[in-house]
Amino acid sequence: MRRASLLFLGVLAGCAGQGTAFQDTAGGRPGLEAAVARLPASVAGFERGDTVWHERERPGLGASVEYAGPSRAAVATVSLYDRGQGPVSSQPGDARVAREFSAAVSDAIAVAGTRTSQQMAESGRTALSVPGGAPLSCARLDGTYGRQQVGTLVCVGAAAGRFLKVQITAPARPVVPVDPEPFIVGITQAARG
């Protein structure tokens, strides 16, 4: 009888410890696949493209989803990840989110600096309000890709227990005007569920 009870408890513990693609065992947050599935096919004129699963080769780096703006006048990348540090708080003022924002801005500038035809510099920071949740920290970067003047907006916050990074790049004088804020707000609300 005692052995049967121990076996039953072992089976229960094994079942309880199994996470699925849709439920992460860390804090009850959705699994990465479920979190990415929340991102819409279309939002504010941007259409969803390919998904890159960084998590499979580099745990903690999550996934990135590409979006193309109206008439391809802008491109965006939406990333969900936790850097292997466990659930990320969505409460305003979280120091981890502030550090991640600074790192994201530095990375965007550094990547442009490694390419001979690109230059990028930060021109300002703001907080972007998102109804129903904490604002995102955003930085405006201005620069050039070859001879083309471009602007990039990098925003970072938290969504469903992960970092949410949205980066949009568009020509300084696009053929079709693009307002990135409705896209960023819509993506953030969808990611937060």
Side-chain angles (χ1 to χ4, degrees), residues 81 83 94-111 122 124-126 136-141 154-157 163-167:
Y81 56 98
R83 294 218 181 263
D94 184 315
R96 287 174 54 200
V97 174
R99 283 191 303 272
E100 191 61 33
F101 171 60
S102 293
V105 173
S106 295
D107 288 349
I109 293 170
V111 166
E122 185 178 340
R125 292 185 177 198
T126 60
L136 297 182
S137 297
C138 297
R140 171 84 182 166
L141 309 176
V154 178
C155 298
V156 174
F163 295 113
L164 168 70
K165 178 173 72 173
V166 182
Q167 183 169 323

PDB file of all heavy atoms in Angstrom, residues 81 83 94-111 122 124-126 136-141 154-157 163-167:
ATOM      1  N   TYR A  81      11.532  37.848 -24.918  1.00  0.00           N
ATOM      2  CA  TYR A  81      12.632  37.066 -24.360  1.00  0.00           C
ATOM      3  C   TYR A  81      12.769  37.370 -22.867  1.00  0.00           C
ATOM      4  O   TYR A  81      12.191  38.330 -22.364  1.00  0.00           O
ATOM      5  CB  TYR A  81      13.941  37.395 -25.096  1.00  0.00           C
ATOM      6  CG  TYR A  81      14.285  38.870 -25.074  1.00  0.00           C
ATOM      7  CD1 TYR A  81      15.184  39.376 -24.148  1.00  0.00           C
ATOM      8  CD2 TYR A  81      13.693  39.756 -25.959  1.00  0.00           C
ATOM      9  CE1 TYR A  81      15.489  40.739 -24.107  1.00  0.00           C
ATOM     10  CE2 TYR A  81      13.990  41.111 -25.934  1.00  0.00           C
ATOM     11  CZ  TYR A  81      14.885  41.596 -25.006  1.00  0.00           C
ATOM     12  OH  TYR A  81      15.177  42.934 -24.964  1.00  0.00           O
ATOM     13  N   ARG A  83      16.128  36.496 -21.254  1.00  0.00           N
ATOM     14  CA  ARG A  83      17.578  36.380 -21.009  1.00  0.00           C
ATOM     15  C   ARG A  83      17.897  35.268 -20.005  1.00  0.00           C
ATOM     16  O   ARG A  83      18.918  35.289 -19.341  1.00  0.00           O
ATOM     17  CB  ARG A  83      18.183  37.690 -20.549  1.00  0.00           C
ATOM     18  CG  ARG A  83      18.138  38.775 -21.591  1.00  0.00           C
ATOM     19  CD  ARG A  83      19.368  39.624 -21.572  1.00  0.00           C
ATOM     20  NE  ARG A  83      19.298  40.682 -22.554  1.00  0.00           N
ATOM     21  CZ  ARG A  83      19.839  40.612 -23.764  1.00  0.00           C
ATOM     22  NH1 ARG A  83      20.448  39.519 -24.153  1.00  0.00           N
ATOM     23  NH2 ARG A  83      19.758  41.630 -24.593  1.00  0.00           N
ATOM     24  N   ASP A  94      10.614  48.708 -12.821  1.00  0.00           N
ATOM     25  CA  ASP A  94      11.429  47.506 -12.650  1.00  0.00           C
ATOM     26  C   ASP A  94      12.840  47.786 -13.184  1.00  0.00           C
ATOM     27  O   ASP A  94      13.021  48.156 -14.341  1.00  0.00           O
ATOM     28  CB  ASP A  94      10.802  46.338 -13.405  1.00  0.00           C
ATOM     29  CG  ASP A  94      11.548  45.024 -13.189  1.00  0.00           C
ATOM     30  OD1 ASP A  94      12.792  45.024 -13.256  1.00  0.00           O
ATOM     31  OD2 ASP A  94      10.887  44.002 -12.972  1.00  0.00           O
ATOM     32  N   ALA A  95      13.852  47.604 -12.354  1.00  0.00           N
ATOM     33  CA  ALA A  95      15.241  47.904 -12.723  1.00  0.00           C
ATOM     34  C   ALA A  95      15.723  47.034 -13.884  1.00  0.00           C
ATOM     35  O   ALA A  95      16.515  47.475 -14.708  1.00  0.00           O
ATOM     36  CB  ALA A  95      16.153  47.723 -11.516  1.00  0.00           C
ATOM     37  N   ARG A  96      15.246  45.786 -13.964  1.00  0.00           N
ATOM     38  CA  ARG A  96      15.657  44.903 -15.067  1.00  0.00           C
ATOM     39  C   ARG A  96      15.188  45.447 -16.409  1.00  0.00           C
ATOM     40  O   ARG A  96      15.918  45.386 -17.405  1.00  0.00           O
ATOM     41  CB  ARG A  96      15.109  43.493 -14.854  1.00  0.00           C
ATOM     42  CG  ARG A  96      15.813  42.738 -13.747  1.00  0.00           C
ATOM     43  CD  ARG A  96      15.162  41.405 -13.445  1.00  0.00           C
ATOM     44  NE  ARG A  96      15.033  40.569 -14.627  1.00  0.00           N
ATOM     45  CZ  ARG A  96      14.182  39.552 -14.713  1.00  0.00           C
ATOM     46  NH1 ARG A  96      13.383  39.235 -13.711  1.00  0.00           N
ATOM     47  NH2 ARG A  96      14.121  38.828 -15.807  1.00  0.00           N
ATOM     48  N   VAL A  97      13.970  45.986 -16.444  1.00  0.00           N
ATOM     49  CA  VAL A  97      13.441  46.543 -17.694  1.00  0.00           C
ATOM     50  C   VAL A  97      14.239  47.793 -18.073  1.00  0.00           C
ATOM     51  O   VAL A  97      14.578  47.988 -19.244  1.00  0.00           O
ATOM     52  CB  VAL A  97      11.930  46.844 -17.582  1.00  0.00           C
ATOM     53  CG1 VAL A  97      11.409  47.546 -18.822  1.00  0.00           C
ATOM     54  CG2 VAL A  97      11.150  45.545 -17.342  1.00  0.00           C
ATOM     55  N   ALA A  98      14.578  48.618 -17.097  1.00  0.00           N
ATOM     56  CA  ALA A  98      15.372  49.827 -17.368  1.00  0.00           C
ATOM     57  C   ALA A  98      16.744  49.456 -17.919  1.00  0.00           C
ATOM     58  O   ALA A  98      17.229  50.070 -18.882  1.00  0.00           O
ATOM     59  CB  ALA A  98      15.507  50.666 -16.102  1.00  0.00           C
ATOM     60  N   ARG A  99      17.379  48.441 -17.359  1.00  0.00           N
ATOM     61  CA  ARG A  99      18.692  47.995 -17.860  1.00  0.00           C
ATOM     62  C   ARG A  99      18.568  47.427 -19.271  1.00  0.00           C
ATOM     63  O   ARG A  99      19.418  47.665 -20.133  1.00  0.00           O
ATOM     64  CB  ARG A  99      19.300  46.948 -16.927  1.00  0.00           C
ATOM     65  CG  ARG A  99      19.892  47.532 -15.649  1.00  0.00           C
ATOM     66  CD  ARG A  99      20.720  46.520 -14.874  1.00  0.00           C
ATOM     67  NE  ARG A  99      19.999  45.306 -14.500  1.00  0.00           N
ATOM     68  CZ  ARG A  99      19.290  45.164 -13.386  1.00  0.00           C
ATOM     69  NH1 ARG A  99      19.197  46.153 -12.515  1.00  0.00           N
ATOM     70  NH2 ARG A  99      18.666  44.028 -13.125  1.00  0.00           N
ATOM     71  N   GLU A 100      17.512  46.674 -19.508  1.00  0.00           N
ATOM     72  CA  GLU A 100      17.311  46.079 -20.828  1.00  0.00           C
ATOM     73  C   GLU A 100      17.068  47.159 -21.882  1.00  0.00           C
ATOM     74  O   GLU A 100      17.546  47.050 -23.013  1.00  0.00           O
ATOM     75  CB  GLU A 100      16.147  45.085 -20.804  1.00  0.00           C
ATOM     76  CG  GLU A 100      16.041  44.244 -22.042  1.00  0.00           C
ATOM     77  CD  GLU A 100      17.266  43.383 -22.304  1.00  0.00           C
ATOM     78  OE1 GLU A 100      17.930  42.926 -21.352  1.00  0.00           O
ATOM     79  OE2 GLU A 100      17.579  43.157 -23.496  1.00  0.00           O
ATOM     80  N   PHE A 101      16.354  48.223 -21.508  1.00  0.00           N
ATOM     81  CA  PHE A 101      16.121  49.334 -22.428  1.00  0.00           C
ATOM     82  C   PHE A 101      17.445  49.988 -22.808  1.00  0.00           C
ATOM     83  O   PHE A 101      17.731  50.208 -23.997  1.00  0.00           O
ATOM     84  CB  PHE A 101      15.168  50.353 -21.794  1.00  0.00           C
ATOM     85  CG  PHE A 101      15.041  51.628 -22.582  1.00  0.00           C
ATOM     86  CD1 PHE A 101      14.578  51.625 -23.889  1.00  0.00           C
ATOM     87  CD2 PHE A 101      15.374  52.840 -22.007  1.00  0.00           C
ATOM     88  CE1 PHE A 101      14.469  52.802 -24.617  1.00  0.00           C
ATOM     89  CE2 PHE A 101      15.257  54.025 -22.714  1.00  0.00           C
ATOM     90  CZ  PHE A 101      14.807  54.006 -24.030  1.00  0.00           C
ATOM     91  N   SER A 102      18.275  50.279 -21.831  1.00  0.00           N
ATOM     92  CA  SER A 102      19.586  50.886 -22.112  1.00  0.00           C
ATOM     93  C   SER A 102      20.426  49.989 -23.010  1.00  0.00           C
ATOM     94  O   SER A 102      21.084  50.464 -23.946  1.00  0.00           O
ATOM     95  CB  SER A 102      20.335  51.184 -20.815  1.00  0.00           C
ATOM     96  OG  SER A 102      19.671  52.200 -20.096  1.00  0.00           O
ATOM     97  N   ALA A 103      20.400  48.681 -22.751  1.00  0.00           N
ATOM     98  CA  ALA A 103      21.159  47.731 -23.569  1.00  0.00           C
ATOM     99  C   ALA A 103      20.617  47.689 -24.996  1.00  0.00           C
ATOM    100  O   ALA A 103      21.405  47.626 -25.961  1.00  0.00           O
ATOM    101  CB  ALA A 103      21.113  46.337 -22.945  1.00  0.00           C
ATOM    102  N   ALA A 104      19.303  47.733 -25.165  1.00  0.00           N
ATOM    103  CA  ALA A 104      18.694  47.684 -26.498  1.00  0.00           C
ATOM    104  C   ALA A 104      19.087  48.902 -27.328  1.00  0.00           C
ATOM    105  O   ALA A 104      19.388  48.784 -28.520  1.00  0.00           O
ATOM    106  CB  ALA A 104      17.175  47.585 -26.383  1.00  0.00           C
ATOM    107  N   VAL A 105      19.097  50.075 -26.704  1.00  0.00           N
ATOM    108  CA  VAL A 105      19.484  51.296 -27.409  1.00  0.00           C
ATOM    109  C   VAL A 105      20.962  51.216 -27.793  1.00  0.00           C
ATOM    110  O   VAL A 105      21.337  51.494 -28.941  1.00  0.00           O
ATOM    111  CB  VAL A 105      19.192  52.554 -26.555  1.00  0.00           C
ATOM    112  CG1 VAL A 105      19.753  53.808 -27.204  1.00  0.00           C
ATOM    113  CG2 VAL A 105      17.691  52.692 -26.320  1.00  0.00           C
ATOM    114  N   SER A 106      21.797  50.818 -26.859  1.00  0.00           N
ATOM    115  CA  SER A 106      23.234  50.681 -27.147  1.00  0.00           C
ATOM    116  C   SER A 106      23.488  49.672 -28.258  1.00  0.00           C
ATOM    117  O   SER A 106      24.326  49.904 -29.143  1.00  0.00           O
ATOM    118  CB  SER A 106      23.988  50.253 -25.891  1.00  0.00           C
ATOM    119  OG  SER A 106      23.928  51.252 -24.906  1.00  0.00           O
ATOM    120  N   ASP A 107      22.762  48.549 -28.235  1.00  0.00           N
ATOM    121  CA  ASP A 107      22.927  47.523 -29.267  1.00  0.00           C
ATOM    122  C   ASP A 107      22.548  48.051 -30.646  1.00  0.00           C
ATOM    123  O   ASP A 107      23.241  47.779 -31.627  1.00  0.00           O
ATOM    124  CB  ASP A 107      22.085  46.284 -28.952  1.00  0.00           C
ATOM    125  CG  ASP A 107      22.618  45.472 -27.785  1.00  0.00           C
ATOM    126  OD1 ASP A 107      23.759  45.731 -27.340  1.00  0.00           O
ATOM    127  OD2 ASP A 107      21.879  44.585 -27.307  1.00  0.00           O
ATOM    128  N   ALA A 108      21.442  48.785 -30.739  1.00  0.00           N
ATOM    129  CA  ALA A 108      20.997  49.325 -32.032  1.00  0.00           C
ATOM    130  C   ALA A 108      22.037  50.281 -32.609  1.00  0.00           C
ATOM    131  O   ALA A 108      22.328  50.250 -33.808  1.00  0.00           O
ATOM    132  CB  ALA A 108      19.650  50.019 -31.881  1.00  0.00           C
ATOM    133  N   ILE A 109      22.618  51.105 -31.764  1.00  0.00           N
ATOM    134  CA  ILE A 109      23.656  52.042 -32.219  1.00  0.00           C
ATOM    135  C   ILE A 109      24.924  51.282 -32.597  1.00  0.00           C
ATOM    136  O   ILE A 109      25.551  51.562 -33.624  1.00  0.00           O
ATOM    137  CB  ILE A 109      23.940  53.103 -31.134  1.00  0.00           C
ATOM    138  CG1 ILE A 109      22.705  54.006 -30.975  1.00  0.00           C
ATOM    139  CG2 ILE A 109      25.169  53.924 -31.481  1.00  0.00           C
ATOM    140  CD1 ILE A 109      22.761  54.928 -29.780  1.00  0.00           C
ATOM    141  N   ALA A 110      25.299  50.293 -31.794  1.00  0.00           N
ATOM    142  CA  ALA A 110      26.516  49.511 -32.059  1.00  0.00           C
ATOM    143  C   ALA A 110      26.416  48.721 -33.359  1.00  0.00           C
ATOM    144  O   ALA A 110      27.376  48.654 -34.127  1.00  0.00           O
ATOM    145  CB  ALA A 110      26.805  48.576 -30.891  1.00  0.00           C
ATOM    146  N   VAL A 111      25.258  48.121 -33.635  1.00  0.00           N
ATOM    147  CA  VAL A 111      25.083  47.349 -34.871  1.00  0.00           C
ATOM    148  C   VAL A 111      25.265  48.255 -36.076  1.00  0.00           C
ATOM    149  O   VAL A 111      25.938  47.896 -37.041  1.00  0.00           O
ATOM    150  CB  VAL A 111      23.709  46.638 -34.891  1.00  0.00           C
ATOM    151  CG1 VAL A 111      23.373  46.132 -36.280  1.00  0.00           C
ATOM    152  CG2 VAL A 111      23.693  45.491 -33.902  1.00  0.00           C
ATOM    153  N   GLU A 122      21.476  58.544 -31.031  1.00  0.00           N
ATOM    154  CA  GLU A 122      20.254  58.771 -30.258  1.00  0.00           C
ATOM    155  C   GLU A 122      19.906  60.258 -30.262  1.00  0.00           C
ATOM    156  O   GLU A 122      20.768  61.101 -30.074  1.00  0.00           O
ATOM    157  CB  GLU A 122      20.451  58.281 -28.828  1.00  0.00           C
ATOM    158  CG  GLU A 122      19.203  58.375 -27.991  1.00  0.00           C
ATOM    159  CD  GLU A 122      19.381  57.839 -26.580  1.00  0.00           C
ATOM    160  OE1 GLU A 122      20.331  57.065 -26.343  1.00  0.00           O
ATOM    161  OE2 GLU A 122      18.555  58.203 -25.721  1.00  0.00           O
ATOM    162  N   GLY A 124      16.725  61.282 -28.599  1.00  0.00           N
ATOM    163  CA  GLY A 124      15.791  61.571 -27.515  1.00  0.00           C
ATOM    164  C   GLY A 124      15.118  60.334 -26.965  1.00  0.00           C
ATOM    165  O   GLY A 124      15.069  59.297 -27.633  1.00  0.00           O
ATOM    166  N   ARG A 125      14.630  60.467 -25.720  1.00  0.00           N
ATOM    167  CA  ARG A 125      13.925  59.363 -25.052  1.00  0.00           C
ATOM    168  C   ARG A 125      12.570  59.851 -24.547  1.00  0.00           C
ATOM    169  O   ARG A 125      12.438  60.996 -24.128  1.00  0.00           O
ATOM    170  CB  ARG A 125      14.741  58.826 -23.880  1.00  0.00           C
ATOM    171  CG  ARG A 125      16.014  58.130 -24.307  1.00  0.00           C
ATOM    172  CD  ARG A 125      16.748  57.494 -23.160  1.00  0.00           C
ATOM    173  NE  ARG A 125      17.925  56.786 -23.665  1.00  0.00           N
ATOM    174  CZ  ARG A 125      18.580  55.864 -23.014  1.00  0.00           C
ATOM    175  NH1 ARG A 125      18.186  55.507 -21.795  1.00  0.00           N
ATOM    176  NH2 ARG A 125      19.627  55.278 -23.545  1.00  0.00           N
ATOM    177  N   THR A 126      11.604  58.935 -24.595  1.00  0.00           N
ATOM    178  CA  THR A 126      10.256  59.235 -24.105  1.00  0.00           C
ATOM    179  C   THR A 126       9.656  57.984 -23.478  1.00  0.00           C
ATOM    180  O   THR A 126      10.171  56.882 -23.656  1.00  0.00           O
ATOM    181  CB  THR A 126       9.319  59.686 -25.250  1.00  0.00           C
ATOM    182  OG1 THR A 126       9.225  58.635 -26.213  1.00  0.00           O
ATOM    183  CG2 THR A 126       9.806  60.956 -25.912  1.00  0.00           C
ATOM    184  N   LEU A 136       5.933  52.012 -22.099  1.00  0.00           N
ATOM    185  CA  LEU A 136       7.188  51.506 -22.637  1.00  0.00           C
ATOM    186  C   LEU A 136       8.200  52.646 -22.652  1.00  0.00           C
ATOM    187  O   LEU A 136       7.840  53.799 -22.871  1.00  0.00           O
ATOM    188  CB  LEU A 136       7.011  50.999 -24.069  1.00  0.00           C
ATOM    189  CG  LEU A 136       6.074  49.830 -24.307  1.00  0.00           C
ATOM    190  CD1 LEU A 136       6.080  49.450 -25.780  1.00  0.00           C
ATOM    191  CD2 LEU A 136       6.453  48.638 -23.464  1.00  0.00           C
ATOM    192  N   SER A 137       9.461  52.319 -22.454  1.00  0.00           N
ATOM    193  CA  SER A 137      10.548  53.287 -22.610  1.00  0.00           C
ATOM    194  C   SER A 137      10.974  53.250 -24.065  1.00  0.00           C
ATOM    195  O   SER A 137      11.216  52.171 -24.618  1.00  0.00           O
ATOM    196  CB  SER A 137      11.729  52.914 -21.720  1.00  0.00           C
ATOM    197  OG  SER A 137      11.346  52.972 -20.364  1.00  0.00           O
ATOM    198  N   CYS A 138      11.051  54.427 -24.698  1.00  0.00           N
ATOM    199  CA  CYS A 138      11.383  54.498 -26.120  1.00  0.00           C
ATOM    200  C   CYS A 138      12.516  55.480 -26.372  1.00  0.00           C
ATOM    201  O   CYS A 138      12.616  56.513 -25.695  1.00  0.00           O
ATOM    202  CB  CYS A 138      10.170  54.930 -26.937  1.00  0.00           C
ATOM    203  SG  CYS A 138       8.778  53.781 -26.861  1.00  0.00           S
ATOM    204  N   ALA A 139      13.342  55.164 -27.359  1.00  0.00           N
ATOM    205  CA  ALA A 139      14.425  56.052 -27.785  1.00  0.00           C
ATOM    206  C   ALA A 139      14.323  56.244 -29.284  1.00  0.00           C
ATOM    207  O   ALA A 139      14.091  55.284 -30.037  1.00  0.00           O
ATOM    208  CB  ALA A 139      15.781  55.465 -27.426  1.00  0.00           C
ATOM    209  N   ARG A 140      14.489  57.477 -29.697  1.00  0.00           N
ATOM    210  CA  ARG A 140      14.505  57.821 -31.124  1.00  0.00           C
ATOM    211  C   ARG A 140      15.963  57.860 -31.577  1.00  0.00           C
ATOM    212  O   ARG A 140      16.805  58.503 -30.943  1.00  0.00           O
ATOM    213  CB  ARG A 140      13.849  59.185 -31.321  1.00  0.00           C
ATOM    214  CG  ARG A 140      13.977  59.744 -32.697  1.00  0.00           C
ATOM    215  CD  ARG A 140      12.916  59.196 -33.585  1.00  0.00           C
ATOM    216  NE  ARG A 140      13.126  59.741 -34.924  1.00  0.00           N
ATOM    217  CZ  ARG A 140      12.545  59.279 -35.982  1.00  0.00           C
ATOM    218  NH1 ARG A 140      11.693  58.297 -35.875  1.00  0.00           N
ATOM    219  NH2 ARG A 140      12.773  59.791 -37.154  1.00  0.00           N
ATOM    220  N   LEU A 141      16.261  57.126 -32.653  1.00  0.00           N
ATOM    221  CA  LEU A 141      17.599  57.110 -33.228  1.00  0.00           C
ATOM    222  C   LEU A 141      17.496  57.659 -34.651  1.00  0.00           C
ATOM    223  O   LEU A 141      16.602  57.271 -35.397  1.00  0.00           O
ATOM    224  CB  LEU A 141      18.168  55.694 -33.264  1.00  0.00           C
ATOM    225  CG  LEU A 141      18.130  54.891 -31.963  1.00  0.00           C
ATOM    226  CD1 LEU A 141      18.644  53.477 -32.199  1.00  0.00           C
ATOM    227  CD2 LEU A 141      18.933  55.577 -30.883  1.00  0.00           C
ATOM    228  N   VAL A 154      13.169  52.580 -30.861  1.00  0.00           N
ATOM    229  CA  VAL A 154      13.396  51.373 -30.068  1.00  0.00           C
ATOM    230  C   VAL A 154      12.624  51.523 -28.767  1.00  0.00           C
ATOM    231  O   VAL A 154      12.837  52.483 -28.029  1.00  0.00           O
ATOM    232  CB  VAL A 154      14.902  51.183 -29.750  1.00  0.00           C
ATOM    233  CG1 VAL A 154      15.108  49.948 -28.886  1.00  0.00           C
ATOM    234  CG2 VAL A 154      15.722  51.106 -31.023  1.00  0.00           C
ATOM    235  N   CYS A 155      11.716  50.576 -28.496  1.00  0.00           N
ATOM    236  CA  CYS A 155      10.909  50.621 -27.273  1.00  0.00           C
ATOM    237  C   CYS A 155      11.035  49.302 -26.523  1.00  0.00           C
ATOM    238  O   CYS A 155      11.048  48.228 -27.140  1.00  0.00           O
ATOM    239  CB  CYS A 155       9.444  50.869 -27.605  1.00  0.00           C
ATOM    240  SG  CYS A 155       9.131  52.446 -28.420  1.00  0.00           S
ATOM    241  N   VAL A 156      11.107  49.395 -25.199  1.00  0.00           N
ATOM    242  CA  VAL A 156      11.240  48.200 -24.363  1.00  0.00           C
ATOM    243  C   VAL A 156      10.307  48.311 -23.167  1.00  0.00           C
ATOM    244  O   VAL A 156      10.162  49.385 -22.568  1.00  0.00           O
ATOM    245  CB  VAL A 156      12.699  48.009 -23.880  1.00  0.00           C
ATOM    246  CG1 VAL A 156      12.810  46.847 -22.897  1.00  0.00           C
ATOM    247  CG2 VAL A 156      13.639  47.796 -25.060  1.00  0.00           C
ATOM    248  N   GLY A 157       9.683  47.199 -22.830  1.00  0.00           N
ATOM    249  CA  GLY A 157       8.823  47.101 -21.658  1.00  0.00           C
ATOM    250  C   GLY A 157       8.706  45.627 -21.289  1.00  0.00           C
ATOM    251  O   GLY A 157       9.582  44.824 -21.626  1.00  0.00           O
ATOM    252  N   PHE A 163      10.602  40.273 -21.479  1.00  0.00           N
ATOM    253  CA  PHE A 163      10.904  41.570 -22.069  1.00  0.00           C
ATOM    254  C   PHE A 163      10.201  41.638 -23.412  1.00  0.00           C
ATOM    255  O   PHE A 163      10.138  40.644 -24.142  1.00  0.00           O
ATOM    256  CB  PHE A 163      12.414  41.743 -22.302  1.00  0.00           C
ATOM    257  CG  PHE A 163      13.232  41.776 -21.043  1.00  0.00           C
ATOM    258  CD1 PHE A 163      14.123  40.768 -20.756  1.00  0.00           C
ATOM    259  CD2 PHE A 163      13.119  42.842 -20.144  1.00  0.00           C
ATOM    260  CE1 PHE A 163      14.896  40.791 -19.606  1.00  0.00           C
ATOM    261  CE2 PHE A 163      13.877  42.874 -18.987  1.00  0.00           C
ATOM    262  CZ  PHE A 163      14.768  41.847 -18.714  1.00  0.00           C
ATOM    263  N   LEU A 164       9.685  42.802 -23.738  1.00  0.00           N
ATOM    264  CA  LEU A 164       9.101  43.073 -25.046  1.00  0.00           C
ATOM    265  C   LEU A 164       9.918  44.203 -25.648  1.00  0.00           C
ATOM    266  O   LEU A 164      10.010  45.286 -25.054  1.00  0.00           O
ATOM    267  CB  LEU A 164       7.635  43.494 -24.925  1.00  0.00           C
ATOM    268  CG  LEU A 164       7.010  44.075 -26.195  1.00  0.00           C
ATOM    269  CD1 LEU A 164       6.836  42.988 -27.254  1.00  0.00           C
ATOM    270  CD2 LEU A 164       5.677  44.726 -25.881  1.00  0.00           C
ATOM    271  N   LYS A 165      10.534  43.940 -26.793  1.00  0.00           N
ATOM    272  CA  LYS A 165      11.290  44.988 -27.496  1.00  0.00           C
ATOM    273  C   LYS A 165      10.683  45.156 -28.873  1.00  0.00           C
ATOM    274  O   LYS A 165      10.482  44.180 -29.597  1.00  0.00           O
ATOM    275  CB  LYS A 165      12.765  44.616 -27.614  1.00  0.00           C
ATOM    276  CG  LYS A 165      13.583  45.661 -28.375  1.00  0.00           C
ATOM    277  CD  LYS A 165      15.070  45.374 -28.338  1.00  0.00           C
ATOM    278  CE  LYS A 165      15.448  44.205 -29.189  1.00  0.00           C
ATOM    279  NZ  LYS A 165      16.902  43.990 -29.305  1.00  0.00           N
ATOM    280  N   VAL A 166      10.377  46.411 -29.220  1.00  0.00           N
ATOM    281  CA  VAL A 166       9.839  46.727 -30.535  1.00  0.00           C
ATOM    282  C   VAL A 166      10.794  47.728 -31.175  1.00  0.00           C
ATOM    283  O   VAL A 166      11.099  48.767 -30.582  1.00  0.00           O
ATOM    284  CB  VAL A 166       8.417  47.328 -30.454  1.00  0.00           C
ATOM    285  CG1 VAL A 166       7.868  47.594 -31.842  1.00  0.00           C
ATOM    286  CG2 VAL A 166       7.485  46.413 -29.660  1.00  0.00           C
ATOM    287  N   GLN A 167      11.242  47.410 -32.376  1.00  0.00           N
ATOM    288  CA  GLN A 167      12.138  48.311 -33.096  1.00  0.00           C
ATOM    289  C   GLN A 167      11.559  48.543 -34.483  1.00  0.00           C
ATOM    290  O   GLN A 167      11.320  47.591 -35.226  1.00  0.00           O
ATOM    291  CB  GLN A 167      13.543  47.706 -33.196  1.00  0.00           C
ATOM    292  CG  GLN A 167      14.541  48.624 -33.859  1.00  0.00           C
ATOM    293  CD  GLN A 167      15.974  48.124 -33.707  1.00  0.00           C
ATOM    294  OE1 GLN A 167      16.333  47.579 -32.672  1.00  0.00           O
ATOM    295  NE2 GLN A 167      16.768  48.327 -34.739  1.00  0.00           N
TER     296      GLN A 167
END
